Amino acid sequence: MIVPVLLVAGALGAGKTTLLNHLLANPDGRRIAAVVNDFGSVDIDAQLLGTATEEVISLKNGCICCSLQGDLLRTLSSVIKRDPAPDAIAIETSGISDPAEIIRNLMDPVIFKVAPLETVVTLVDPQRLHDDPEIAEEALWRSQLRAADFVLLTKADLIDRAALDQARAVVSRIKPPSAIFEIARGVVAPDLLFSREIGAPRELPRQLPAMSQPFATVTWTSQVPLSLARFQEVIRQLAPRTLRIKGVLRFTEHPTQPILFQSVATRGTLAPSPVAPADGLTAQLVLIGRDGDLDADEIDALLRGVIV
């Protein structure tokens, strides 16, 4: 049996988990297994995706493109041997992953024979590109685009037409306009993601030179009640120095409803969460930023101010 693989790439906060959630909830008759990789010790993405399907496998605490290559290949082998086997496997990369190295590993002849890489899709947040245009010059961002069969401009309902067109123009420097699509709330036709004819292994994209990890992560948890108003004040202080914040929290203002918080650069959202913090916790929060921008002790001190 052959099980095609979908690789979902993109920068931190681009909307990868939202897209996979929609795909798992609307599989169009396919049985889809998801492999996710959070950069941090609290695997928020796997918890959220686990509400849509039981077929979620988590690769923890690292970047698929580096230390977890062996885990990825072993996981794919295990998933394929399940009974019944899935009809497709979707791999969500970390936002700090270079797809070139992941593709290189998926081209392993043994893996490709039974789990061929069918489609690579890269997600781009137009608002992030508008707020931080220098991201378009980063080698990692450009490598994520070059590896893609399709590029999805996400959250198109949250940005005006001029900014969307600007993002499309920037992406068009690397990918043809026919390969760029706009989506909202992760909604995309499954046939777009699983429609590429599988033939010989694809040409390997150019690999980024080896470099030291430019990202850092801080995990914060709490077991005591939290104030939503104070949390919002602290986030306003932390947002400028972080690239991504994601977590599940319980606030005294909403004692029975866990809240999902997500932040990309200066844009943050609060929404009811389908999952609650782990037993005994009122907060599970992961903050990701450039190395040197995050001080764990300072962040802990600030977030302790949220405690009621």
Side-chain angles (χ1 to χ4, degrees), residues 5-294:
V5 172
L6 164 69
L7 185 64
V8 182
L12 295 165
K16 298 184 294 295
T17 302
T18 300
L19 181 144
L20 277 187
N21 251 326
H22 175 77
L23 186 62
L24 293 173
N26 302 274
D28 198 24
R30 296 177 177 87
R31 179 181 173 87
I32 300 174
V35 177
V36 301
N37 178 223
D38 262 352
F39 185 65
S41 58
V42 178
D43 210 342
I44 303 295
D45 287 350
Q47 293 177 36
L48 295 174
L49 289 170
T51 65
T53 176
E54 296 180 356
E55 296 295 317
V56 176
I57 303 96
S58 173
L59 299 178
K60 292 182 178 293
N61 297 342
C63 168
I64 286 177
C65 66
C66 44
S67 60
L68 294 180
Q69 292 171 8
D71 283 351
L72 175 61
L73 298 183
R74 284 191 294 272
T75 297
L76 291 178
S77 297
S78 174
V79 171
I80 294 166
K81 294 175 183 176
R82 292 187 176 189
D83 186 18
D87 299 310
I89 300 172
I91 300 175
E92 177 191 349
T93 71
S94 163
I96 63 169
S97 295
D98 176 14
E101 184 57 21
I102 303 171
I103 293 170
R104 191 176 302 276
N105 281 273
L106 292 174
M107 290 301 103
D108 178 282
V110 175
I111 292 295
F112 192 86
K113 184 177 180 179
V114 291
L117 177 59
E118 181 178 25
T119 305
V120 180
V121 61
T122 295
L123 278 57
V124 172
D125 179 353
Q127 184 67 57
R128 172 78 186 283
L129 193 56
H130 179 270
D131 294 342
D132 184 14
E134 292 183 0
I135 192 176
E137 305 305 321
E138 294 180 358
L140 176 59
W141 189 85
R142 297 174 69 85
S143 183
Q144 290 174 340
L145 259 64
R146 280 195 296 266
D149 298 309
F150 303 107
V151 176
L152 302 180
L153 302 180
T154 61
K155 311 173 191 178
D157 56 330
L158 303 178
I159 192 170
D160 60 41
R161 185 71 252 170
L164 263 176
D165 290 341
Q166 180 186 28
R168 180 180 286 274
V170 172
V171 173
S172 294
R173 300 173 192 167
I174 299 175
K175 305 302 293 186
S178 60
I180 305 171
F181 299 85
E182 299 170 9
I183 66 170
R185 298 178 294 278
V187 178
V188 60
D191 285 345
L192 177 66
L193 304 179
F194 294 104
S195 62
R196 181 178 178 272
E197 183 178 350
I198 301 173
R202 66 180 64 204
E203 180 180 349
L204 293 175
R206 183 173 62 84
Q207 183 180 358
L208 286 178
M211 56 183 177
S212 59
Q213 179 54 262
F215 298 97
T217 178
V218 173
T219 299
W220 188 79
T221 60
S222 176
Q223 296 178 304
V224 293
L226 306 175
S227 163
L228 176 57
R230 294 181 193 174
F231 177 78
Q232 291 173 310
E233 292 176 4
V234 168
I235 289 299
R236 277 192 285 269
Q237 299 178 57
L238 292 175
R241 73 188 79 169
T242 60
L243 298 172
R244 183 82 163 107
I245 307 175
K246 179 181 282 191
V248 181
L249 310 98
R250 287 191 182 275
F251 297 107
T252 56
E253 293 90 336
H254 305 277
T256 62
Q257 174 61 65
I259 300 297
L260 173 65
F261 175 74
Q262 301 190 71
S263 171
V264 182
T266 58
R267 184 175 64 196
T269 60
L270 291 160
S273 173
V275 298
D279 291 344
L281 295 178
T282 57
Q284 291 178 286
L285 200 64
V286 176
L287 303 90
I288 303 173
R290 290 186 173 86
D291 194 23
D293 288 349
L294 299 185

